[in-house]
Amino acid sequence: KILVITACEALGAVIVVDTVIIALGFPVPMALCFGAIAAATAPAATLLVVRQYRAKGELTSTLLPVVAMDDAIGLMAYALSVSIAKMIQNHEAFNVMTTLVDPLLEILLSLGIGAALGVLVALSNRFFKSKANRLTIGIAAVLLGVGLAQQFDLSALLLCMAIGATYVNLRDDAVQTLEQADAWTPPLFLLFFVLSGAELNVAMLPSLGVIGVVYILARVVGKYFGAFLGCTISKASHKVRKYLGFSLIPQAGVAIGIAQLVVRELPEYGASIQAVILCATLIYELIGPVVTKFSLMKAGEIEVEPKKKHITPTAAQ
């Protein structure tokens, strides 16, 4: 059920964004990159809303695994999309090996190597009990994964996601390591966003206004109707079909990371795409959590605190 919904909502965003941007006359390689980025959602923003308001219910239990998985689909879509975009950009003839087989092999190797490293981290926890040792091993696994990805031209983001997904599903006590990481990673996130924002060319924004608005709206439409289709196919309840799509608006880290990859892979369009994604991220992160909260409230999964009754001194006596 979750796999069907995730595939539909992620690919729905890809297809709608690709179609709309191409229909408006923008270059196909640019449209393909925007479409791949559109699949990604910010799980952290959604998770914080759920935790802050203690949301519980069918919509919440569907939403959390969906936002955790669609970033992986976005990375896979990017691998395929950028391969096709480069082929079109370089005016090359269609080649099945280069366009389809190589990206799929990159995806499978990234997932396989990441899963293998995740298994090693999980096994090491049997012998290393202290929090410091486990945290050190986790960091070492990430650094090793990034090194292998660079060496063999794989997706570092997808590989590291596979490490974490494998580790947390093999060890019930993995949450302790995650809590340790949460204590010191905020400065790293801050540095990531500052460096990403420093690359924003503000002078380009006036010329990118149309495509920016189109991307923001087309992604929301694709997410909503893709989620609706996935919920219909998997026979989810009415409230999940109605509100899940609105809960998938936030977008942040992975989208910015993919945009930075586009700068390297397609420098002709990279700066424009990065500028649009950075501005879109700002809008999505301002509006997305509010819409997510509204959706969870309408679905009845956030308890509304009852108004305190004013008690007069006479009544109190």
Side-chain angles (χ1 to χ4, degrees):
K1 176 180 176 180
I2 298 298
L3 288 173
V4 171
I5 294 174
T6 305
C8 287
E9 60 89 7
L11 296 178
V14 173
I15 293 170
V16 172
V17 171
D18 280 347
T19 303
V20 172
I21 293 180
I22 292 173
L24 291 175
F26 290 97
V28 175
M30 176 185 283
L32 291 174
C33 293
F34 272 121
I37 296 172
T41 305
T46 303
L47 182 60
L48 288 174
V49 171
V50 170
R51 286 179 176 175
Q52 180 177 352
Y53 297 101
R54 299 177 183 177
K56 292 181 181 179
E58 186 180 2
L59 176 59
T60 303
S61 60
T62 303
L63 173 63
L64 293 179
V66 167
V67 297
M69 292 174 59
D70 70 352
D71 280 348
I73 294 181
L75 290 168
M76 296 177 193
Y78 167 75
L80 291 169
S81 297
V82 77
S83 176
I84 298 172
K86 289 167 71 175
M87 179 196 71
I88 296 173
Q89 180 65 19
N90 297 330
H91 305 288
E92 298 174 355
F94 179 78
N95 186 305
V96 176
M97 181 63 68
T98 304
T99 308
L100 297 178
V101 176
D102 287 349
L104 289 174
L105 188 60
E106 175 189 335
I107 292 169
L108 292 175
L109 286 175
S110 299
L111 292 174
I113 294 174
L117 291 176
V119 170
L120 291 177
V121 175
L123 289 174
S124 71
N125 281 188
R126 294 184 177 182
F127 307 101
F128 298 96
K129 304 298 183 181
S130 73
K131 294 181 179 180
N133 285 337
R134 290 185 175 185
L135 183 61
T136 302
I137 292 170
I139 295 172
V142 171
L143 296 176
L144 177 59
V146 172
L148 291 173
Q150 292 179 345
Q151 181 68 29
F152 298 106
D153 199 21
L154 303 176
S155 170
L157 290 173
L158 193 57
L159 193 152
C160 288
M161 287 181 69
I163 294 175
T166 304
Y167 172 52
V168 79
N169 280 279
L170 291 178
R171 296 291 303 189
D172 292 334
D173 55 358
V175 65
Q176 298 175 1
T177 305
L178 298 179
E179 289 175 351
Q180 276 188 287
D182 286 341
W184 62 270
T185 50
L188 296 182
F189 288 127
L190 179 63
L191 182 63
F192 169 75
F193 284 108
V194 169
L195 292 176
S196 299
E199 296 179 7
L200 174 61
N201 186 354
V202 180
M204 297 180 63
L205 296 181
S207 62
L208 298 172
V210 174
I211 195 170
V213 173
V214 168
Y215 171 78
I216 292 171
L217 296 179
R219 177 178 174 271
V220 173
V221 171
K223 285 283 184 183
Y224 179 80
F225 286 104
F228 190 91
L229 176 63
C231 291
T232 302
I233 294 173
S234 60
K235 298 180 180 179
S237 67
H238 173 72
K239 72 175 182 180
V240 176
R241 288 200 304 270
K242 187 175 181 181
Y243 295 113
L244 180 62
F246 291 123
S247 304
L248 299 171
I249 293 177
Q251 187 178 56
V254 172
I256 296 175
I258 297 176
Q260 290 179 334
L261 294 177
V262 175
V263 174
R264 185 183 65 190
E265 298 287 345
L266 290 169
E268 183 175 346
Y269 304 111
S272 300
I273 292 173
Q274 187 180 48
V276 170
I277 296 304
L278 286 171
C279 291
T281 297
L282 176 62
I283 295 172
Y284 284 139
E285 287 297 278
L286 289 173
I287 298 175
V290 177
V291 177
T292 299
K293 175 191 173 184
F294 175 78
S295 300
L296 293 171
M297 288 182 63
K298 296 296 288 185
E301 300 191 3
I302 292 180
E303 294 184 4
V304 181
E305 295 184 3
K307 294 182 179 179
K308 296 181 180 180
K309 295 182 178 179
H310 178 70
I311 302 177
T312 62
T314 305
Q317 294 173 359

